[in-house]
Amino acid sequence: MNAAIPPEMVNPLKTPFLIHLPKHYCLLGSQNFLRFSSQPNFSPEFHPKDFPNLVSKVCEILGDFQWKRSSELKHLSPKLKPHHVAKILEIHKDSESALQFFCWVSQRPSYKHNLDCFIVLLKRLIHDRLFDPADNVRIRMIQSCNNEEEITRVMNFLNEISVKEFKFSLYSYKTLLIQLGKFDMVAAAQNVYKEMMSNGIEPNLFILNTVINILCKKGKVQEAKVVLSRIFQYDMKPDVYTYTSFILGHCKNNDLDSAFEVFNHMVKEECDPNSVTYTTLINGLCNDGRVDEALDMLEEMIEKKVDPTVYTYTVPVTTLCRIDRVKEACDLVADMRKRGCRPNVHTYTSLISGLFRSGKLEVAIGFYHKMLKDGLVPNTVTYNVLIKELCAGGKFEYALKIFYWMERRGSLPNAQTYNEIIEGFCLDGYIGKAMVLFNKMLKVGPSPTLITYNTLVNGYCKQGNLNNARRLVDLMKENGCEPDEWTYTELISGFCKWGKLDSVSTLFSEMLDRGLTPNEVTYTALIDGHCKEGKVDVALSLIERMEKHGCSPNVETYNAMINGLSKEKRLAEAQKLLDKMVEKGLLPNVVTYSTLVDGQCRNSGTHLAFQILDEMEKKDCPANLHTYSSLIYGLCQEGKAEDAETLIAEMERKGIFPDHVTYTSIIDGFSMLGRLDHAFSLLRRMISVGCKPNYRTYSVLVKGLQKECLLLEEKCVDATNSCSLGEMDINFEMVSSLLVRLKENGCEPTIETYSTLVSGLCREGKSYDADQLVASMVHKGLSPNEEIYNSLLIAYCKNLKVEPALEILNTMVSRGFKPQFVIYRALICALCKANRVEEAQTLFENMLSEQWNPDEIVWTILIDGLLKEGKPDTCMKFFHIMESRNCTLNFQTYLILARELSKEDKFIETDWVADRLRV
């Protein structure tokens, strides 16, 4: 809370930029000649073509002595805009009548003078030597300023028109100082104060307090003390406003001892502190982390019959929420309500944020609705808190509703709002929707930030769409946003995850060339990527390089390396690395131990893995799901499925619940032993606890059924050893047998069951079997879901079966599913390959009518689709269609398209694109 001075001086509006006036500012009282230009200084909204009829008609009416009673003028007044009024004030013959009209029109509903109106009238009044009304207009002009730019323009104008007889009055100086304080224009305020003193105008206490407050708000206490000396010089006494300003100044400088000295002196001088004095000290204590002392001062304030305001309560509430003392914050809000002090938007926002962070989501939402019930309108900060916390709590659907509601209500989202929603879309796998919002930011604002770009790069990388991730970085550079260490780390992690190590080397070199320093996360991603590709020795050399460049490996780095060595059966080296890690003072965590357990289990060493488990218990490092899953897998591979099953019971006793990997391993173990009935009972148990089987789960059951059939047919015990899982192939007949057996064992096949099986068959290239399975499903009265449609459609497209693919697309659309880019790309390319370009064009045009990012359309459909399929002519034809639809592309996208076309030897078309780059 600012110092206790009149309201117009409190809580100055912050502007996003600061215009620094010249150091030797031209004094307002300097003797300049009065100059008039032949043309008034109208703002850009001046439209001469609108003037003749309306302006001349109003001027004609004003010529009548009884013009205020004119019904015609009342009829015309709603049409009058500031540029009309400025022209009327300039050309009307009589200055006094013009002044009366100026006052009359300002009272019209929804009308407000702009600076041009003031400037024209003020010039006119000074020219006619009507100085008293001119001073009133000058004061009103200063008061009308809404920002720093406007007050700067006014001051420059007042310097221009300064004449000897038209000096600044005390009230004019006071008004100007208040406005300068409002916009934090400290240097300008000091210049005005010095000018006032040099002109011999004796300030009053209000003006001196104003200057002191302006200085103290910026922590300029020593300069404020010089002004304080004037108070004593003029035989005045400091009042509560004076003392409170100095308390504020000391708090701004984090000098609470001096602030309390002023407070104590104030009391000694019998100057009673008011609510703002206490609030300033309470805020200072909170900002210094002394919240308990702040609460004590709040109690003292109440005891002394000084009523706290909403500002008094809000900072302690905010501080308590920030340090996770949310219950006390709620109690404080309840107390303020009892005292008849209603929380404001800031109070509610802090409380809602604190409640979300402490996991009390429902209570937080309740306070949000209470806020609305109290008639308070949430601001962007409130919405951002709600959206951020809902996203973090996995309630993205609700966050999205708030975002759209916010847009409809005209509460403009800022970059943080967009970033939260974009991240939510990316986490849910809807990168296309995130890119639509990104496109909106580029077109209408707010401008994307580094966080926006990094979030989208990460979103593409997680989906494996690495080309678009790289293109986005190029776009980022083009738009003047420089990639940072995290941009490249996201890219390197993504390329490593998807096994594109050749590109990783290029990215790493590019990162270094740009002067960016790889951090431990970057190196760990590189090491993990090389380990997963079996390039363990390269990964070891990267650790050496990392240390050489002063970047110390962390636990995650060693875990990645130990995992790589374990998978390569280099277990002795993994143990040595663990020892080295401990020597460096890094404690192994559950991931480290679990990695070693997994390595032993995959190398028939479960007995050694259990020794590691014992060591974990001794080191007070409890095993997690991954540890137990590895042990269960190892035991099952060694034919010890029953021992593995006892581990599941142990897990559940410890509150660790098996996932689909755990269940699949043990189901596989019993299947290999020929105990299919028990395997199915485990599946039933798996489904009952809400754990969804995946394709691998069903596959091991199918192969178990195959073995069972072989045993029955051959009646040979050795059949178990003669057929391995890898030798068996899954088809529709086997899947049908599985479905029958599922039903017999109380696992009635659902849409999810069919969806998992169809998707798996399609991934294995068995679209014929998948098609039969879907037909069987439909025959049983079950409707395919979006995943089934997508899997089948892409499979049909790969086999150029465009008719059934088109049928699926139409069905999807009719059922309300919105096809993603991967669907459009697959179908458009398949149609073009089948020489059905016109149909592909119609589909492309339909796609353009929906909400998509035009750059992403070019990247995904044209470049990664048609160009990669060897269809450059069709690509350019579709590009022309986009252009005709006014799909605005980013400059960088044109460059990318030009580069890709040049690879196809399309020199003419490349020149054509180059022409557009020059436009």
Side-chain angles (χ1 to χ4, degrees):
M1 182 68 185
N2 292 320
I5 58 177
E8 62 267 25
M9 296 176 63
V10 177
N11 293 328
L13 296 175
K14 304 290 184 181
T15 53
F17 57 91
L18 181 62
I19 300 175
H20 295 281
L21 297 176
K23 188 173 181 181
H24 300 293
Y25 184 79
C26 184
L27 299 180
L28 291 167
S30 60
Q31 304 303 310
N32 293 333
F33 289 101
L34 181 61
R35 295 190 295 270
F36 292 91
S37 60
S38 58
Q39 296 294 328
N41 183 23
F42 288 118
S43 62
E45 65 176 15
F46 175 79
H47 302 293
K49 65 180 181 180
D50 298 338
F51 281 23
N53 296 327
L54 183 58
V55 171
S56 61
K57 190 64 183 172
V58 172
C59 286
E60 181 184 334
I61 295 169
L62 292 178
D64 187 344
F65 180 72
Q66 300 290 330
W67 62 265
K68 289 184 182 178
R69 297 181 181 178
S70 170
S71 58
E72 188 175 6
L73 181 60
K74 288 179 182 178
H75 175 72
L76 292 173
S77 64
K79 299 178 182 178
L80 289 172
K81 305 298 179 189
H83 59 276
H84 297 127
V85 172
K87 187 63 177 176
I88 292 165
L89 294 172
E90 181 193 20
I91 66 175
H92 185 55
K93 295 177 182 179
D94 181 62
S95 293
E96 290 188 5
S97 180
L99 177 61
Q100 290 175 14
F101 172 70
F102 174 86
C103 296
W104 178 86
V105 77
S106 67
Q107 297 171 3
R108 300 294 90 192
S110 71
Y111 175 84
K112 185 180 179 182
H113 289 304
N114 64 10
L115 287 183
D116 292 329
C117 298
F118 287 105
I119 287 170
V120 170
L121 181 60
L122 201 53
K123 281 183 177 182
R124 185 163 188 165
L125 293 171
I126 294 170
H127 183 266
D128 291 347
R129 308 188 70 77
L130 298 171
F131 296 128
D132 286 341
D135 187 42
N136 289 330
V137 172
R138 174 169 57 188
I139 289 167
R140 286 184 62 181
M141 178 170 66
I142 294 168
Q143 291 172 334
S144 74
C145 293
N146 294 309
N147 52 51
E148 194 173 326
E149 186 177 13
E150 289 184 358
I151 194 69
T152 302
R153 182 185 172 197
V154 165
M155 292 173 75
N156 290 334
F157 166 71
L158 292 174
N159 273 320
E160 230 178 82
I161 65 166
S162 183
V163 293
K164 186 175 182 180
E165 296 88 349
F166 187 54
K167 292 182 179 180
F168 256 62
S169 63
L170 181 64
Y171 191 74
S172 297
Y173 276 121
K174 184 191 82 170
T175 306
L176 183 56
L177 284 169
I178 289 171
Q179 285 293 80
L180 292 172
K182 185 178 177 181
F183 303 126
D184 278 349
M185 298 173 69
V186 179
Q190 286 178 288
N191 283 326
V192 170
Y193 169 68
K194 288 174 185 176
E195 177 196 317
M196 183 181 72
M197 300 302 292
S198 67
N199 286 342
I201 296 177
E202 187 174 315
N204 57 23
L205 182 59
F206 182 91
I207 284 184
L208 293 172
N209 275 344
T210 301
V211 177
I212 288 171
N213 184 260
I214 289 169
L215 293 166
C216 286
K217 280 192 297 185
K218 291 297 182 182
K220 297 179 178 290
V221 177
Q222 294 306 317
E223 294 173 56
K225 284 180 179 179
V226 175
V227 182
L228 176 65
S229 67
R230 295 281 186 179
I231 292 178
F232 297 110
Q233 182 182 334
Y234 290 112
D235 293 325
M236 293 182 277
K237 285 184 67 175
D239 64 3
V240 64
Y241 302 131
T242 322
Y243 287 116
T244 303
S245 291
F246 277 101
I247 289 170
L248 173 65
H250 288 305
C251 287
K252 288 284 183 184
N253 294 328
N254 298 316
D255 185 1
L256 288 177
D257 290 340
S258 295
F260 275 99
E261 282 179 19
V262 174
F263 179 77
N264 293 333
H265 181 74
M266 174 183 186
V267 174
K268 185 179 177 183
E269 292 294 316
E270 297 183 346
C271 181
D272 293 332
N274 63 12
S275 64
V276 184
T277 317
Y278 278 106
T279 299
T280 305
L281 280 169
I282 288 168
N283 290 358
L285 288 166
C286 287
N287 292 334
D288 198 44
R290 296 156 63 177
V291 67
D292 290 313
E293 292 177 62
L295 294 172
D296 289 341
M297 178 149 271
L298 178 59
E299 287 300 318
E300 177 189 320
M301 176 183 183
I302 294 166
E303 286 171 9
K304 293 193 174 181
K305 309 298 182 185
V306 180
D307 291 330
T309 67
V310 64
Y311 303 106
T312 317
Y313 283 104
T314 296
V315 172
V317 167
T318 304
T319 306
L320 288 168
C321 288
R322 189 170 60 243
I323 60 175
D324 295 328
R325 290 166 62 176
V326 182
K327 185 180 182 304
E328 291 174 74
C330 291
D331 292 342
L332 200 56
V333 171
D335 182 66
M336 72 184 286
R337 280 186 169 280
K338 285 178 186 176
R339 297 184 181 281
C341 184
R342 294 179 62 190
N344 63 11
V345 172
H346 187 189
T347 320
Y348 274 114
T349 301
S350 299
L351 201 56
I352 289 165
S353 178
L355 286 163
F356 268 124
R357 284 198 303 273
S358 62
K360 295 179 173 63
L361 186 144
E362 290 183 5
V363 181
I365 296 295
F367 268 103
Y368 169 68
H369 289 298
K370 175 66 177 168
M371 176 184 178
L372 297 177
K373 190 177 178 181
D374 283 354
L376 295 171
V377 179
N379 58 23
T380 303
V381 177
T382 317
Y383 286 123
N384 284 352
V385 167
L386 283 165
I387 288 169
K388 178 181 178 180
E389 300 301 341
L390 285 168
C391 288
K395 306 284 185 182
F396 179 64
E397 182 183 348
Y398 296 104
L400 195 59
K401 285 180 180 177
I402 289 174
F403 176 75
Y404 290 136
W405 187 81
M406 183 180 179
E407 285 192 315
R408 288 195 300 272
R409 288 290 299 267
S411 300
L412 295 177
N414 60 16
Q416 183 187 342
T417 324
Y418 275 99
N419 289 345
E420 295 293 348
I421 295 297
I422 284 172
E423 184 178 16
F425 275 133
C426 289
L427 288 173
D428 279 2
Y430 294 112
I431 186 71
K433 292 181 179 180
M435 285 296 288
V436 171
L437 284 184
F438 171 71
N439 190 51
K440 186 174 181 180
M441 292 177 80
L442 288 175
K443 285 184 176 179
V444 298
S447 297
T449 64
L450 182 62
I451 293 172
T452 317
Y453 286 105
N454 285 350
T455 302
L456 289 166
V457 167
N458 179 255
Y460 275 131
C461 287
K462 281 185 175 177
Q463 282 195 345
N465 196 337
L466 305 176
N467 289 336
N468 280 3
R470 285 236 53 176
R471 289 163 184 154
L472 191 64
V473 174
D474 291 338
L475 189 64
M476 178 181 185
K477 296 172 190 172
E478 173 64 31
N479 289 337
C481 186
E482 288 300 313
D484 67 352
E485 288 85 355
W486 290 108
T487 316
Y488 281 98
T489 298
E490 296 288 5
L491 279 174
I492 287 167
S493 298
F495 276 78
C496 285
K497 178 183 175 182
W498 296 95
K500 305 290 184 181
L501 294 185
D502 293 341
S503 298
V504 167
S505 301
T506 305
L507 286 168
F508 190 72
S509 299
E510 185 181 319
M511 182 180 184
L512 297 175
D513 290 343
R514 296 182 73 87
L516 299 172
T517 304
N519 55 31
E520 63 272 13
V521 180
T522 321
Y523 277 111
T524 301
L526 279 167
I527 289 163
D528 188 49
H530 281 86
C531 285
K532 284 175 179 173
E533 290 296 307
K535 298 182 178 181
V536 178
D537 291 322
V538 177
L540 286 168
S541 68
L542 281 168
I543 285 189
E544 291 177 8
R545 175 175 180 169
M546 180 179 183
E547 291 175 323
K548 184 179 176 181
H549 287 87
C551 185
S552 300
N554 58 19
V555 175
E556 287 72 25
T557 317
Y558 282 108
N559 286 347
M561 194 68 250
I562 289 169
N563 185 45
L565 289 167
S566 297
K567 285 184 177 175
E568 291 294 308
K569 300 184 180 180
R570 294 163 65 170
L571 301 177
E573 291 176 75
Q575 184 60 49
K576 283 182 181 178
L577 200 62
L578 174 64
D579 296 337
K580 181 181 177 181
M581 173 181 167
V582 174
E583 285 173 14
K584 288 182 174 287
L586 295 172
L587 293 177
N589 59 18
V590 65
V591 177
T592 320
Y593 287 117
S594 297
T595 300
L596 289 169
V597 166
D598 188 64
Q600 295 292 355
C601 289
R602 291 183 182 278
N603 290 284
S604 303
T606 52
H607 61 292
L608 297 172
F610 276 100
Q611 289 178 16
I612 297 171
L613 185 67
D614 291 338
E615 185 180 346
M616 289 176 73
E617 290 180 0
K618 290 175 185 174
K619 295 284 179 67
D620 195 25
C621 182
N624 64 8
L625 174 62
H626 183 70
T627 322
Y628 280 107
S629 292
S630 297
L631 286 166
I632 287 167
Y633 172 81
L635 288 169
C636 288
Q637 292 302 304
E638 292 175 10
K640 301 173 183 176
E642 289 183 352
D643 293 341
E645 191 169 13
T646 62
L647 279 183
I648 287 186
E650 182 181 324
M651 286 172 68
E652 291 175 340
R653 281 197 304 273
K654 292 181 177 180
I656 303 169
F657 300 101
D659 65 356
H660 67 277
V661 175
T662 322
Y663 275 114
T664 299
S665 293
I666 199 163
I667 288 169
D668 190 17
F670 280 103
S671 295
M672 286 191 292
L673 293 175
R675 295 179 59 182
L676 271 180
D677 288 341
H678 194 66
F680 275 102
S681 71
L682 285 167
L683 177 72
R684 189 167 60 249
R685 179 179 170 186
M686 175 184 184
I687 295 169
S688 69
V689 296
C691 186
K692 284 175 57 178
N694 61 10
Y695 187 64
R696 164 73 181 160
T697 315
Y698 291 127
S699 296
V700 298
L701 285 167
V702 166
K703 291 173 182 178
L705 289 170
Q706 285 180 308
K707 286 190 174 185
E708 184 181 70
C709 289
L710 285 173
L711 285 169
L712 290 172
E713 288 175 5
E714 299 176 11
K715 299 189 183 299
C716 176
V717 177
D718 291 333
T720 304
N721 299 321
S722 64
C723 296
S724 67
L725 291 179
E727 293 171 343
M728 299 182 183
D729 203 11
I730 300 175
N731 56 33
F732 171 64
E733 286 75 16
M734 297 172 191
V735 171
S736 297
S737 299
L738 171 68
L739 294 172
V740 171
R741 197 65 169 265
L742 285 172
K743 188 172 183 178
E744 290 173 355
N745 282 275
C747 302
E748 184 72 35
T750 63
I751 293 174
E752 288 292 334
T753 313
Y754 282 100
S755 180
T756 302
L757 290 166
V758 170
S759 299
L761 289 168
C762 287
R763 281 196 302 273
E764 291 183 349
K766 298 168 184 173
S767 58
Y768 176 76
D769 297 290
D771 201 15
Q772 286 184 293
L773 186 57
V774 172
S776 169
M777 169 189 174
V778 172
H779 181 71
K780 292 174 182 176
L782 295 173
S783 297
N785 60 15
E786 188 174 9
E787 185 182 0
I788 292 175
Y789 284 131
N790 285 339
S791 299
L792 272 182
L793 193 148
I794 291 172
Y796 284 144
C797 288
K798 283 181 180 176
N799 296 322
L800 294 185
K801 295 181 178 179
V802 291
E803 286 297 341
L806 286 170
E807 286 178 18
I808 288 177
L809 180 69
N810 290 332
T811 304
M812 287 179 72
V813 173
S814 67
R815 289 191 59 190
F817 298 126
K818 184 178 179 180
Q820 298 300 306
F821 271 134
V822 64
I823 299 297
Y824 281 114
R825 182 176 64 194
L827 194 45
I828 286 170
C829 290
L831 285 166
C832 290
K833 275 186 178 180
N835 296 317
R836 296 169 66 167
V837 178
E838 287 185 7
E839 289 171 87
Q841 179 177 324
T842 301
L843 180 60
F844 184 71
E845 289 173 342
N846 289 339
M847 185 190 73
L848 291 180
S849 65
E850 298 176 18
Q851 273 199 327
W852 296 106
N853 182 303
D855 294 303
E856 195 177 24
I857 292 174
V858 173
W859 300 345
T860 307
I861 307 296
L862 302 189
I863 297 175
D864 287 344
L866 294 171
L867 277 180
K868 286 194 175 177
E869 293 292 342
K871 302 287 182 182
D873 293 326
T874 310
C875 171
M876 286 312 303
K877 182 179 181 181
F878 285 13
F879 180 76
H880 289 308
I881 293 169
M882 288 186 70
E883 191 177 48
S884 69
R885 295 285 191 94
N886 294 318
C887 292
T888 308
L889 299 174
N890 197 282
F891 178 83
Q892 187 62 34
T893 298
Y894 281 107
L895 288 176
I896 294 168
L897 182 58
R899 184 171 63 244
E900 295 300 323
L901 282 166
S902 67
K903 294 177 184 177
E904 299 290 329
D905 294 328
K906 284 286 168 182
F907 298 113
I908 295 175
E909 299 292 7
T910 304
D911 291 340
W912 182 86
V913 175
D915 289 339
R916 277 147 181 78
L917 293 177
R918 286 191 287 270
V919 173

